[in-house]
Amino acid sequence: MVIYPIPVEVTQARIQLVVDQNAKAPPNTINQDLQAVYHAKAAAVEAALAEVQADEPSLLDVKV
């Protein structure tokens, strides 16, 4: 199993969420923070998959 470190963007989005939760921010602000966390995670997963696909040679040898 390959374990990737948590990107800075995800950590920053989570910190902002916790800060807003502790400050009793309005629900729409909390929802925006949650969306920021989800988007940061999705971008990190995409980047990790692109990196893995670029590094690994193809296992199939297709000849046409």
Side-chain angles (χ1 to χ4, degrees), residues 12-46:
Q12 289 173 340
R14 287 180 178 170
I15 290 171
Q16 186 61 48
L17 173 62
V18 171
V19 167
D20 286 342
Q21 285 175 333
N22 287 337
K24 305 289 186 207
N28 63 340
T29 303
I30 302 294
N31 287 337
Q32 289 174 352
D33 290 344
L34 281 171
Q35 288 179 352
V37 171
Y38 295 146
H39 289 300
K41 281 183 181 181
V45 168
E46 275 188 41

Side-chain angles (χ1 to χ4, degrees), residues 2-19:
V2 178
I3 300 174
Y4 293 97
I6 298 173
V8 174
E9 294 82 9
V10 175
T11 303
Q12 289 173 340
R14 287 180 178 170
I15 290 171
Q16 186 61 48
L17 173 62
V18 171
V19 167

